[in-house]
């Protein structure tokens, strides 16, 4: 384990999972609305994420709704906040090391 950790540190990339998750995200139902603050927009969307690790026999499907606040700035759009509400009460994934 120590040799593996040292080798990982020398790569300059530190995965939180070994092997790392392979993910696919499908975003749909996007609705954009103005907010009270100039340059800020509320963006709601539906998300279906698929997560699979090379050692897993099956992958995980994670359905959710997202509400983002996006700010348009001189350097481009910036994510101000994100709220994710899962469709399932209990997630059947052993860990959640992906950005939703």
């Amino acid at each position: 384990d120590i040799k593996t950790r040292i080798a990982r540190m020398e790569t300059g990339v530190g995965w939180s999972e070994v092997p790392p998750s392979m993910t696919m995200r499908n975003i749909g139902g996007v609705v954009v609305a103005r907010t009270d603050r100039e340059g800020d927009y509320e963006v709601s969307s539906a998300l279906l994420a698929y997560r699979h690790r090379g050692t897993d026999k099956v992958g995980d499907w994670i359905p959710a709704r997202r509400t983002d606040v996006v700010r348009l700035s001189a350097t481009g759009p910036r994510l101000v906040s994100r709220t994710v509400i899962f469709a399932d009460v209990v997630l059947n994934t052993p860990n959640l090391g992906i950005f939703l």
Side-chain angles (χ1 to χ4, degrees), residues 18-98:
V18 177
S21 290
M22 300 301 175
T23 59
M24 179 177 60
R25 294 166 188 83
N26 187 12
I27 310 291
V30 178
V31 177
V32 179
R34 293 182 188 265
T35 66
D36 295 336
R37 183 176 171 154
E38 181 67 29
D40 281 11
Y41 296 88
E42 183 177 273
V43 182
S44 65
S45 61
L47 163 73
L48 181 58
Y50 177 73
R51 176 195 161 278
H52 184 268
R53 290 177 29 156
T55 57
D56 295 342
K57 293 186 192 278
V58 295
D60 301 321
W61 291 98
I62 305 168
R65 294 276 321 158
R66 294 191 316 191
T67 303
D68 299 336
V69 175
V70 177
R71 181 170 297 145
L72 300 181
S73 69
T75 57
R78 298 288 182 244
L79 180 63
V80 176
S81 67
R82 171 168 286 165
T83 302
V84 178
I85 299 175
F86 297 106
D88 295 327
V89 176
V90 176
L91 292 178
N92 291 320
T93 183
N95 58 38
L96 193 58
I98 60 172

Side-chain angles (χ1 to χ4, degrees), residues 1-10:
D1 285 344
I2 297 218
K3 285 182 182 179
T4 302
R5 288 178 183 226
I6 291 171
R8 182 182 69 163
M9 288 174 52
E10 291 174 346

